[in-house]
Amino acid sequence: MKRLKNIILTFVLALGSVSCVSKLAYTEPELQLPEKFQYTATADTASIANLEWKQFFNDPTLQGLIEKGIKNNYDLQIALKQVAASQEKLKQAKYMQYPDVGFGVSGQISKPSKNSMNGQSLNLFLGQSHVEDYNAAFNLSWEADIWGKIKNQQEVSRMQYLQTYEGSKAVQTQVVAAIAQGYYNLLMLDKQLAIAKSNLELSSNTLLITQKMWESGDTTSLGVQQSTAQKQATELLISQLEQNIAIQENALSILVGEMPNKINRTIEMSDTSLPQNITAGLPAAMVSRRPDVRQQELVLLESNAMVGIAQANMYPTLKITANGGVNSFKFDNWFQIPASLFGSVLGGLTQPIFQKRQLKTDLEVAKIQREKNVLAFRQSVLNAVGEISDALVSNENLKIQERKATEQATTLKDGIKSAQLLYRGGSANYLEVITAQGNSLQAELNLASIKRQRLSSIVDLYRALGGGWK
């Protein structure tokens, strides 16, 4: 026991004589963020991204679709499985600082040549031509974390776990936004279908009037043909819209993890509402809130730990190994205590001298990778700010477009009534009626599209700011 204590004391002194842990401090890269987002009047700390998705989307039907998507969407489920796998690796990493312990049992019979020194010695001392050896022992191996290599390896595992966690949040924000976009697109198609059916009724009435006028000799067959063609064009549009509705319903069903099916909806696009007070918050807050940006920063933190590991590999390694158990050359007294007991402890410092520049290369490559990840982090922030700016400018301009499109649709709708009255009175021809109806149809379809685009721009802004994972 005294010798064992001396060995342990020697290595404790050796451990204390070397330098301290070399864990590299992390400094967040300078980002030079603006004080406020472009196209915002003032810098406001509040942000719509702080709202939970159930608060942001108040339509019960949409909420139900999003709940299904979060529960059943396969992309999101895969991301969560990746989180679970990395969590297991993180648990394992916490034990890296402990020694490896194993237990082994072995038996060996050796029969040397009778003409060999070992063979003659066996006959002389043991009176037999073979030797047996039975061993049962615990084996221990431990590496002292002098330079912080193990701590950095644990840090790598932790960063990889957090990356998958942030990655799952990023997938959820995308799934939530995609479901909302698909739902609003479906409502737009419903509105356009209703507009087309209403226009079809007008076209049918115009055709009926034109046929009566042709029968009475007040117009030519060309008028009947033109009116018929307009009605057919509207019927074609209705068929195309019904096709697009079915395809959009299928896409939404797949997004929520279900087989393609009809989507039940009880409201129209005009009944939808989203938060009117659109606040983007501060750019600096977005960096810590948006999952994909945060994920890229964690990649940078991982590469910083990898530099520490590469650096520690260039320094001495202190390893201690020990084994002990029972050993005997006879089976019948193998476990005879204490005669069969044995034990040994071995420790040593190993310093790499010449590794064909491999360790130096590993360190330089790790530093370069860290620099690459700094650039990737800055690019992710730049992309995020760009997406937010795009959504803000789209929302502001779509407000104006929606107002102008509403005025245009109202004007052209009134024009249809005027054209029909003049046509019946003989003051306008069939081409003016057809043109008025066609222009009104196109204006109303365009208005529905602009309303959907505005809803989409608000959803885009919510996602770009990092909303949707709460």
Side-chain angles (χ1 to χ4, degrees), residues 76-343:
L76 185 52
Q77 288 187 57
I78 291 170
L80 292 175
K81 292 299 181 183
Q82 291 174 335
V83 174
S86 62
Q87 189 174 30
E88 292 301 319
K89 292 181 180 179
L90 178 61
K91 291 178 182 178
Q92 187 270 329
K94 294 179 180 179
Y95 292 88
M96 293 178 69
Q97 61 188 345
Y98 297 106
D100 295 328
V101 180
F103 177 75
V105 178
S106 63
Q108 182 179 356
I109 299 177
S110 300
K111 185 177 181 180
S113 168
K114 293 181 179 180
N115 294 329
S116 67
M117 181 67 71
N118 290 335
Q120 294 181 10
S121 298
L122 283 173
N123 286 321
L124 180 62
F125 293 104
L126 298 179
Q128 60 186 34
S129 60
H130 68 277
V131 62
E132 301 175 15
D133 185 64
Y134 301 97
N135 191 74
F138 287 95
N139 303 295
L140 180 145
S141 177
W142 179 69
E143 179 179 346
D145 192 20
I146 304 173
W147 310 107
K149 179 170 68 175
I150 294 176
K151 288 185 178 179
N152 277 314
Q153 289 171 341
Q154 292 173 329
E155 184 73 1
V156 167
S157 296
R158 191 171 74 89
M159 291 303 104
Q160 289 175 345
Y161 162 70
L162 292 175
Q163 286 171 40
T164 59
Y165 177 65
E166 294 294 336
S168 68
K169 292 197 298 187
V171 172
Q172 180 169 323
T173 62
Q174 294 166 2
V175 169
V176 169
I179 292 173
Q181 299 281 21
Y183 179 71
Y184 291 136
N185 193 54
L186 189 57
L187 294 184
M188 178 202 70
L189 292 170
D190 287 342
K191 180 64 175 177
Q192 290 182 333
L193 181 61
I195 292 168
K197 287 181 177 180
S198 177
N199 191 270
L200 178 62
E201 185 177 350
L202 289 173
S203 298
S204 298
N205 292 335
T206 301
L207 176 58
L208 182 61
I209 294 170
T210 305
Q211 285 175 333
K212 289 181 178 180
M213 293 180 68
W214 174 69
E215 290 171 357
S216 63
D218 293 330
T219 188
T220 64
S221 61
L222 180 60
V224 177
Q225 292 171 348
Q226 292 292 329
S227 298
T228 302
Q230 183 197 36
K231 179 174 177 289
Q232 291 169 340
T234 307
E235 290 172 339
L236 176 62
L237 175 62
I238 290 173
S239 177
Q240 291 171 340
L241 289 170
E242 288 174 341
Q243 174 187 331
N244 291 338
I245 286 173
I247 292 173
Q248 182 62 74
E249 286 180 323
N250 292 344
L252 262 177
S253 297
I254 292 171
L255 264 177
V256 300
E258 296 179 347
M259 285 293 177
N261 202 353
K262 291 188 68 65
I263 302 295
N264 295 322
R265 45 205 182 275
T266 57
I267 67 170
E268 297 181 358
M269 189 168 62
S270 57
D271 300 325
T272 59
S273 64
L274 286 175
Q276 297 301 309
N277 185 21
I278 305 299
T279 53
L282 301 177
M286 177 275 299
V287 174
S288 60
R289 183 176 54 239
R290 181 161 157 158
D292 59 333
V293 175
R294 178 60 180 156
Q295 185 181 27
Q296 192 59 53
E297 185 178 17
L298 291 168
V299 173
L300 174 56
L301 284 163
E302 179 190 348
S303 64
N304 190 69
M306 293 298 293
V307 172
I309 293 172
Q311 203 168 46
N313 286 335
M314 303 179 71
Y315 301 143
T317 300
L318 172 60
K319 287 186 177 180
I320 296 176
T321 59
N323 59 34
V326 289
N327 176 257
S328 175
F329 70 94
K330 289 184 178 181
F331 184 82
D332 54 1
N333 64 0
W334 184 5
F335 291 95
Q336 190 179 76
I337 306 298
S340 295
L341 289 176
F342 80 97

Side-chain angles (χ1 to χ4, degrees), residues 50-64:
N50 292 325
L51 295 174
E52 295 182 8
W53 64 262
K54 284 187 177 180
Q55 296 175 300
F56 188 80
F57 302 106
N58 53 21
D59 181 346
T61 302
L62 178 55
Q63 287 180 345

